[in-house]
Amino acid sequence: MMIWNQNKECMSREEMRELQGKRLHKLVSLVYHNTPFYRNKMQEMNITPDDIRTIDDIVKLPFTTKQDLRDNYPTGMFASNMSEIVRLHASSGTTGSPTVVGYTRKDLAIWSESVTRCLNAFGIGRNDIVSVAYGYGLFTGGLGLHYGVENLGATVIPTSTGSTEKHIKLLRDLGATAIACTPSYALYLAETIEKMGLSMDDFKLKAGVFGGEPWTEEMRVEIERRLGIKGYNIYGLSEIMGPGVSYECECQCGSHIVDDHFYPEIIDPQTCEPLGYGKQGELVFTTLTKEGMPLLRYRTRDLTSLIDEKCACGRTAVRMTPVVGRSDDMLIIRGINVFPSQVESVILEMKEFEPLYMLVVDRVNNLDTLEVQVEVREGYYSDDINAMLALKKRLANRMKSVLSINAEIRFMEPGQLVRAQGKSQHVIDKRIIK
Amino acid sequence: MTTKQLSIFLENRIGRTKEVVEILSNAGIDILAFTIADSAEFGILRLIVSDIEKAAKQLKEAKISAIQTDVLWIPMDERIGALAEVLSKLAEGNVSIEYMYVCYSDSKPYIVIRPAQMELDKCEQIFG
């Protein structure tokens, strides 16, 4: 496998920490002088840019939250003049006003460099043809991947979202070798290819660039089996850059963070205390080199842990383990922490079910209830009601052992659960807290 | 004497059975017999129809998943004691019954039986 930037991806940890420290010092000066939000915060905390000399000084700096970005909507967090900003993106505003992010020309170059490192680690080179099926537009997924593929010198098919049948036809007819999309859309693609009666032998696909939502090892196995490809994780978030903040290598033992540009920390989500390597907590990023909208210690809400050991692939870049959930979409049901990803892993390990689910949380007579809606896969339906009830019981028992609470299983008719094209919505919480 | 039965998984919601039955009637398919097995939140609708292949195709187009099962199909005399005779033959042959229901075809009664172990060959021997 190839390493795009040997110098940075395999740099010794001491050299990297020195580079990170220098970049952090410069970053803090930039935001202190250009972002009133950070200047005010730092003055309140009685720190100046001169107090930040090495990367270890980062713990002195204030955190940034999603709420801070909303409060400073639309461009209050920008550290560059609009004349320097060459592109804007915005995240969906499902729980408030949208978040706008701005990029300078240099930011875009670093973004493309980061995505190129990812693609190269996935075994994608200049002879490959990559279909980018993330949404193009305000969402960073589509354009982020697009320019990374071009920067690598491979061929990009800017598919975006839309007709799946047309997409499948183009994948086949153009001989696409890689596809970039959400893992749930990859499963939907597999299902549609099977429904269209096509064989994977008609395709040249070999790699999948999957991100945009957390996914499990079981889901990877399922996608790899049905599409006959290798599936790699690409991680990112628009507040920090977009896709390309971290990526798996061929060892698939965590995702390497592009840590010469995005400095990671893990904190306790309750106390905000920094946690060491190997400890699970909330992932926090500082954008070491960003000019448009640099962020100090941005709280991602993603729960993961960091690994600081040299990888078998040769890279030294710090790795993050798969995201187990979000500190804000963790459900508390009857006092127990429940992550949708746990439910997903159970459903994916049982061949009788489609890889889809919906959780409905409610409160009946002051008691929380959890309903898990699933679809039985075609071929596993039985005419025998006892066999169906036994299957339901088996899933319920498995859920109980993983979640530690009872879940009511509900079998839906085929096609009733939503097949997501973008990030899938997996939870309906009907509880009204009185 | 076996025939094919269609089984359809249905969520328990108002109007769902009507929708399925309408798909069949719109396609000119005659329902000879039906029964519904129900649990708390789903049911299985079992049907004997005039044209099972056409019915299966119509349902598939409507994205309704139907499975086909072989069942015993025994003509009955319309007289007192006829059902008891059929059932005693099965009991003597040590066949247990999963479920059964009555069907009319060409104005003649039939009994549809799904043996518990799917011992259709054995049942055919019993009824010669």
Side-chain angles (χ1 to χ4, degrees):
Chain A
M1 286 282 182
M2 301 154 284
I3 295 179
W4 178 256
N5 192 333
Q6 186 95 23
N7 174 28
K8 292 295 185 317
E9 292 175 83
C10 305
M11 188 179 263
S12 79
R13 290 317 295 168
E14 300 82 73
E15 281 177 281
M16 180 57 78
R17 292 185 73 74
E18 205 186 314
L19 178 68
Q20 288 167 334
K22 277 186 191 148
R23 287 180 169 178
L24 180 66
H25 175 71
K26 218 172 135 190
L27 170 78
V28 172
S29 306
L30 175 75
V31 297
Y32 187 86
H33 293 106
N34 295 282
T35 315
F37 169 80
Y38 283 124
R39 183 165 60 245
N40 293 341
K41 279 229 170 191
M42 287 172 67
Q43 286 174 352
E44 273 168 32
M45 296 164 81
N46 202 20
I47 43 175
T48 68
D50 281 344
D51 296 323
I52 310 300
R53 291 280 166 197
T54 73
I55 195 66
D56 295 324
D57 294 328
I58 197 164
V59 296
K60 299 174 187 165
L61 292 168
F63 289 103
T64 312
T65 64
K66 183 88 178 170
Q67 191 56 46
D68 294 329
L69 305 189
R70 291 202 188 105
D71 293 345
N72 289 281
Y73 174 84
T75 58
M77 299 297 283
F78 285 18
S80 296
N81 275 328
M82 205 46 94
S83 60
E84 300 301 318
I85 300 283
V86 296
R87 184 160 350 134
L88 297 169
H89 279 286
S91 71
S92 51
T94 41
T95 51
S97 49
T99 304
V100 178
V101 289
Y103 302 80
T104 65
R105 199 176 295 281
K106 189 179 152 214
D107 291 339
L108 291 181
I110 287 170
W111 189 6
S112 291
E113 155 80 18
S114 305
V115 174
T116 306
R117 289 187 200 175
C118 305
L119 296 169
N120 224 219
F122 305 159
I124 297 169
R126 50 189 306 132
N127 294 324
D128 282 295
I129 302 173
V130 185
S131 169
V132 176
Y134 288 109
Y136 277 60
L138 288 174
F139 174 55
T140 50
L143 288 174
L145 256 302
H146 182 99
Y147 287 104
V149 176
E150 287 192 356
N151 189 49
L152 172 67
T155 308
V156 63
I157 309 173
T159 309
S160 191
T161 53
S163 161
T164 302
E165 274 85 2
K166 191 168 109 193
H167 182 198
I168 289 168
K169 184 176 157 54
L170 285 174
L171 285 177
R172 183 190 60 187
D173 297 348
L174 296 174
T177 54
I179 171 158
C181 61
T182 59
S184 41
Y185 185 67
L187 282 172
Y188 180 65
L189 261 186
E191 194 180 315
T192 310
I193 288 172
E194 286 158 21
K195 276 209 183 114
M196 289 166 77
L198 299 174
S199 151
M200 287 320 297
D201 296 339
D202 302 329
F203 297 83
K204 291 189 178 146
L205 287 173
K206 60 174 191 183
V209 181
F210 300 133
E213 63 190 15
W215 52 310
T216 55
E217 198 51 39
E218 288 83 2
M219 208 164 168
R220 190 210 304 271
V221 171
E222 170 93 15
I223 294 170
E224 291 188 344
R225 182 179 60 78
R226 288 171 79 177
L227 287 179
I229 61 172
K230 283 285 276 177
Y232 295 94
N233 187 49
I234 184 167
Y235 171 89
L237 60 167
S238 61
E239 295 86 344
I240 296 306
M241 190 59 107
V245 172
S246 78
Y247 54 93
E248 283 181 324
C249 61
E250 71 268 24
C251 303
Q252 298 192 321
C253 49
S255 296
H256 289 281
I257 293 169
V258 179
D259 60 358
D260 49 327
H261 296 296
F262 316 114
Y263 183 78
E265 293 172 272
I266 294 287
I267 61 163
D268 180 319
Q270 258 82 49
T271 64
C272 292
E273 277 306 305
L275 302 174
Y277 291 110
K279 296 260 173 44
Q280 187 175 300
E282 183 179 334
L283 182 62
V284 170
F285 277 113
T286 299
T287 60
L288 295 175
T289 51
K290 221 169 161 201
E291 300 174 334
M293 195 181 89
L295 297 180
L296 301 180
R297 308 186 84 194
Y298 179 71
R299 297 184 57 175
T300 65
R301 299 282 169 193
D302 284 334
L303 298 173
T304 179
S305 62
L306 297 176
I307 307 169
D308 184 35
E309 287 157 25
K310 188 177 173 180
C311 180
C313 72
R315 289 179 183 84
T316 51
V318 165
R319 280 168 282 158
M320 55 187 269
T321 56
V323 172
V324 292
R326 289 175 56 80
S327 57
D328 56 358
D329 77 7
M330 181 180 80
L331 295 161
I332 301 176
I333 301 173
R334 278 172 248 154
I336 309 271
N337 296 349
V338 172
F339 292 105
S341 56
Q342 294 174 298
V343 173
E344 182 176 299
S345 67
V346 171
I347 288 160
L348 288 167
E349 74 189 26
M350 289 178 71
K351 61 182 186 311
E352 292 90 347
F353 299 102
E354 291 287 347
L356 302 162
Y357 65 94
M358 178 65 84
L359 304 184
V360 182
V361 187
D362 206 345
R363 185 161 289 176
V364 180
N365 299 328
N366 291 318
L367 189 68
D368 293 341
T369 59
L370 171 64
E371 178 179 278
V372 179
Q373 299 180 343
V374 291
E375 282 180 22
V376 175
R377 184 171 285 176
E378 201 160 349
Y380 290 96
Y381 277 101
S382 171
D383 161 55
D384 180 350
I385 203 137
N386 290 321
M388 295 293 280
L389 291 174
L391 178 61
K392 196 172 131 172
K393 183 92 181 98
R394 202 147 61 81
L395 179 59
N397 289 344
R398 188 78 193 107
M399 282 295 169
K400 170 87 198 249
S401 72
V402 171
L403 303 180
S404 310
I405 58 163
N406 282 315
E408 184 64 36
I409 306 297
R410 188 182 175 100
F411 286 172
M412 308 299 281
E413 283 180 24
Q416 285 298 298
L417 293 175
V418 180
R419 271 76 174 159
Q421 294 223 347
K423 290 192 187 202
S424 22
Q425 179 66 43
H426 285 305
V427 180
I428 299 170
D429 197 336
K430 296 176 172 172
R431 286 179 291 189
I432 303 157
I433 310 296
K434 291 181 180 98
Chain B
M1 286 164 289
T2 63
T3 191
K4 281 204 183 296
Q5 163 195 272
L6 270 183
S7 303
I8 300 162
F9 175 87
L10 295 177
E11 281 168 40
N12 277 5
R13 62 185 153 88
I14 290 171
R16 188 55 181 155
T17 309
K18 179 203 79 127
E19 287 165 18
V20 172
V21 167
E22 270 179 358
I23 289 164
L24 298 177
S25 61
N26 289 342
I29 293 162
D30 195 6
I31 297 172
L32 306 180
F34 72 89
T35 177
I36 290 184
D38 66 332
S39 75
E41 80 280 0
F42 66 86
I44 298 171
L45 172 64
R46 301 177 181 126
L47 297 163
I48 305 287
V49 293
S50 55
D51 184 342
I52 190 162
E53 290 310 326
K54 189 174 170 190
K57 189 167 162 281
Q58 293 292 329
L59 291 168
K60 196 176 168 75
E61 277 173 20
K63 298 201 159 86
I64 293 169
S65 168
I67 55 175
Q68 299 187 17
T69 323
D70 287 314
V71 286
L72 277 181
W73 163 259
I74 300 162
M76 298 264 291
D77 295 334
E78 273 191 289
R79 58 176 169 79
I80 292 167
L83 178 60
E85 282 168 29
V86 170
L87 296 183
S88 52
K89 279 186 184 173
L90 285 173
E92 280 160 28
N94 208 20
V95 173
S96 71
I97 296 166
E98 183 71 40
Y99 57 79
M100 60 179 199
Y101 53 99
V102 170
C103 177
Y104 268 80
S105 182
D106 292 333
S107 305
K108 277 186 295 229
Y110 291 80
I111 179 161
V112 178
I113 299 177
R114 188 14 246 276
Q117 307 300 324
M118 291 303 279
E119 306 156 304
L120 290 171
D121 293 348
K122 188 171 162 188
C123 294
E124 293 216 54
Q125 278 171 12
I126 292 171
F127 291 101

